[in-house]
Structure formats: C-alpha cells, structure tokens
C-alpha cells in the first residue's frame, strides 16, 4: 500500500494541475486583451487630442475672421437702410402727392382711370368686406416728419366705390 501512495498522490493532484494550467491560460488571455484595450485607448486619446487641436485652430481662425464679417454685416445694414429710404422717397412722390389731382377722383371711376390720375398706389390689399374688392393705398412722408400721409380708394367690381382724401398739410 505504501508503494501505491505516490501513485495515488499523483492521480489526486493531477486534476488540480490541469485546473492550474487552465487558469494560467485564462490569465494570459485576459492580459493580452487588457494590452489590446490599452493600445486602443492610447490610439483614441491621440485622435481626440488631434481633433481638439484642429478645433482650437478653427476657432482661432473664426475669431480672427470675425472683424472681417462685421463690416460686411454693417455694410448690408447700411445698404438695406439706403434702399428702404429710396423706397420711402419713391412712395412719397408721384402724382398722388399733389392735392389738385385728388379733385379728379370720384365714385364710378375705373381702376385704370384712378392709376392714370394718381399713379400706381404705394400699396394694394384685397378686402374681405362685401362692398369692397380691393383697396388702393397712397402713403408717404411728404414733409419728412416721420408721419406718413395716407389716402385710400376702395374698389368694388372694378370701379371706385368710396375714397378717403389724404390729409395734406396746409401751407402757411
């Protein structure tokens, strides 16, 4: 029996040895995966650093170009104001600005006759009222005071139905 003891011990420790070999294999596998993950993280950190540097340069370039953009915007604003002033000047001119021309307006005139007497209206709007199809507005700041003067002609079935004369300033 004593002779068989070393054999029994070998057989008894054999399963534990194989478990130990399996554990070593798993540890090696986990270590290799950990190394691969560390390499991947290092690569991603390098990419992020490159992108952040590029973004910082782009932001710096935008900041450097900002003064160039603002004058263009101002120019557009001034151009817009100039155009609007020209439109206002055009709206404040034409035959409708003469009070004597309004004396020729009467009910029953056609749209074309009104335009021939007063010129094109500064604004036209369609009406939802039953007695009016379209409204011709003649507006403008004739004195440059910021207070527009307005006349209105209501058209029904192609003819003047009603009109309101502009409140022209009286000359003193």
């Amino acid at each position: 029996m004593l002779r068989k003891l070393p054999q029994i011990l070998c057989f008894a420790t054999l399963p534990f040895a194989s478990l130990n070999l399996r554990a070593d294999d798993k540890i090696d596998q986990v270590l290799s995966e950990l190394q691969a993950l560390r390499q991947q993280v290092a690569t991603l950190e390098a990419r992020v650093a490159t992108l952040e540097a590029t973004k910082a340069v782009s932001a710096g370039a935008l900041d450097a170009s900002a003064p160039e953009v603002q004058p263009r915007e101002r120019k557009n604003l001034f151009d817009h104001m100039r155009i609007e002033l020209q439109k206002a000047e055009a709206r404040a001119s034409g035959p409708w600005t003469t009070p004597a021309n309004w004396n020729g307006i009467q009910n029953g005139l056609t749209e074309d006759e009104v335009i021939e007497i007063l010129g094109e209206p500064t604004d036209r709007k369609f009406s939802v009222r039953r007695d009016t199809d379209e409204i011709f507005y003649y507006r403008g700041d004739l004195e440059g005071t910021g207070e527009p003067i307005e006349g209105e002609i209501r058209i029904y079935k192609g003819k003047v139905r009603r009109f309101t004369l502009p409140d022209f300033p009286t000359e003193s």
Side-chain angles (χ1 to χ4, degrees):
M1 180 89 174
L2 287 174
R3 285 185 179 177
K4 292 186 180 184
L5 188 60
Q7 289 175 351
I8 293 174
L9 284 176
C10 270
F11 286 122
T13 58
L14 187 63
F16 296 115
S18 66
L19 287 176
N20 195 17
L21 287 175
R22 284 188 210 152
D24 285 344
D25 288 342
K26 285 203 178 225
I27 289 175
D28 289 341
Q29 182 183 2
V30 167
L31 287 175
S32 66
E33 287 178 12
L34 180 63
Q35 185 62 27
L37 287 173
R38 284 183 178 164
Q39 181 63 33
Q40 191 176 11
V41 166
T43 304
L44 290 174
E45 285 177 345
R47 288 177 59 191
V48 167
T50 304
L51 288 173
E52 286 177 346
T54 305
K55 188 175 181 181
V57 169
S58 297
L62 287 176
D63 291 341
S65 66
E68 294 175 15
V69 172
Q70 289 174 348
R72 278 192 228 143
E73 288 176 3
R74 282 191 201 129
K75 181 180 177 188
N76 287 341
L77 175 65
F78 291 132
D79 285 346
H80 181 69
M81 288 175 57
R82 180 181 49 77
I83 290 167
E84 286 302 315
L85 286 172
Q86 288 174 346
K87 285 181 185 177
E89 191 175 297
R91 286 190 296 260
S93 64
W96 77 269
T97 60
T98 307
N101 288 341
W102 284 86
N103 294 336
I105 301 299
Q106 56 188 339
N107 290 338
L109 291 177
T110 65
E111 292 179 34
D112 292 336
E113 290 172 329
V114 170
I115 292 172
E116 188 177 310
I117 295 170
L118 298 177
E120 282 292 328
T122 55
D123 195 14
R124 289 179 171 204
K125 292 193 177 177
F126 292 99
S127 177
V128 294
R129 293 179 54 157
R130 289 184 191 174
D131 65 340
T132 305
D133 294 330
E134 189 174 10
I135 305 170
F136 289 179
Y137 291 102
Y138 292 89
R139 295 185 187 117
D141 184 6
L142 302 182
E143 296 181 310
T145 61
E147 296 180 20
I149 295 170
E150 179 177 295
E152 176 182 295
I153 299 179
R154 294 185 176 263
I155 307 292
Y156 180 66
K157 293 186 178 180
K159 296 190 178 196
V160 174
R161 169 83 176 203
R162 192 171 67 205
F163 59 94
T164 306
L165 298 174
D167 188 20
F168 287 107
T170 56
E171 296 183 23
S172 342

